[in-house]
Amino acid sequence: MLLACSAHAGKLAIVIDDFGYRPAQENQVLQMPQAISVAVLPNAPHAREMATKAHQRGHEVLIHLPMAPLSKQPLEKDTLRPDMSSAEIERIISEAVKQVPFAVGLNNHMGSAMTSSLFGMQKVMQVLDHYNFYFLDSMTIGNSQSTRAASGTSVKVIKRRVFLDDNQNEAEIRKQFTRAVRLAQRDGSAIAIGHPHPSTVRVLQQMLPTLPGDITLVRPSQLLNEPQRINHKPLPPESQPAQPAKPRNPFRGVETCVSKQPQQPVPATRALGVIGDSIAESYIAKTLESLF
């Protein structure tokens, strides 16, 4: 059962980013289990509409806030940068809260430059502290400073473990979904992030009903008090269909004895003598001899 609870169940949270641009696919996501959460881009044309609809259907809503990446690329309006003042960051987050109603948390869109800046993230966390938001770190860079920056505030930080659809090939998405499940089984919990691509929607529609019985689908906020355990043990193996045992052959045949020494040629006269002696000593020859 999809939401079967168990004391030892692994908890899997799935967040779909970039909401607000593609209502057709996003409405399909909102038909999925309520534990699937959505992150809405505040300046997207359908931001308020989709945030409201997601909340009404029981899904958790996050603000998907643009943050500056290390790479040089066009930035969305009101992208957070490390050199911004606290007042400017507060203004941007305040506007985002108005555009994305019912949000209870915030995660970063891009953001490798911002999240790797301790000073920049400290300013973000001080603002989030006023909203009672949690921060879901999308982990677009390994040395993110979000956890350190939240020290001294009430902001709780959780981290993404798997991106479902960096590669939008359905087979690859299924592979990443399975990896997220196995991480949750091994570590107790895992967070996977995807996007409302048609291929991602199809894979989720196919695979969510087949979640293993030891996996519980949860909202990110349900993991705020979970230990963030990341170990390096091998992932649990995927279940494989049992292979039928091969029938045993009771007759194994006769093993051939191979001489270690090279065999010497036998003269024809000796060979004929051996054959003659063998015939003379045979059961048939003995029987004929007794009759005559």
Side-chain angles (χ1 to χ4, degrees), residues 123-278:
K123 290 180 282 189
V124 171
M125 295 302 178
Q126 288 163 5
V127 174
L128 294 185
D129 200 17
H130 299 309
Y131 288 96
N132 197 29
F133 280 173
Y134 65 82
F135 183 74
L136 167 58
D137 194 332
S138 300
M139 292 302 293
T140 54
I141 192 167
N143 68 330
S144 173
Q145 300 297 306
S146 60
T147 301
R148 288 181 63 197
S151 178
T153 74
S154 63
V155 180
K156 292 186 177 181
V157 176
I158 49 179
K159 297 182 179 181
R160 185 269 318 166
R161 297 293 303 281
V162 174
F163 275 127
L164 294 175
D165 49 14
D166 275 348
N167 183 328
Q168 294 178 35
N169 175 276
E170 288 189 31
E172 290 300 316
I173 297 171
R174 282 192 289 271
K175 186 183 298 184
Q176 292 305 311
F177 184 95
T178 300
R179 181 169 175 266
V181 168
R182 294 167 71 197
L183 283 168
Q185 289 171 325
R186 186 190 71 180
D187 299 342
S189 65
I191 300 173
I193 288 179
H195 302 83
H197 305 306
S199 53
T200 306
V201 170
R202 283 193 296 270
V203 169
L204 290 175
Q205 289 171 333
Q206 295 163 6
M207 298 195 74
L208 285 172
T210 66
L211 277 175
D214 62 347
I215 289 294
T216 302
L217 203 59
V218 300
R219 297 171 175 82
S221 61
Q222 292 175 263
L223 299 178
L224 296 179
N225 297 314
E226 293 284 317
Q228 300 287 295
R229 294 176 298 189
I230 299 178
N231 63 55
H232 300 286
K233 294 179 182 177
L235 290 173
E238 294 184 54
S239 56
Q240 298 289 342
Q243 298 295 323
K246 294 182 179 179
R248 295 183 62 186
N249 186 352
F251 180 72
R252 297 178 179 273
V254 179
E255 293 187 3
T256 303
C257 295
V258 180
S259 172
K260 295 181 180 179
Q261 300 295 329
Q263 296 183 359
Q264 299 297 323
V266 179
T269 53
R270 184 180 174 189
L272 290 172
V274 170
I275 294 170
D277 291 342
S278 176

Side-chain angles (χ1 to χ4, degrees), residues 21 40-47 64 66 76-79 95 99-100:
Y21 279 103
V40 182
L41 284 159
N43 290 309
H46 303 281
H64 193 42
E76 296 206 23
K77 176 187 175 185
D78 287 340
T79 296
E95 289 296 320
Q99 294 299 321
V100 186

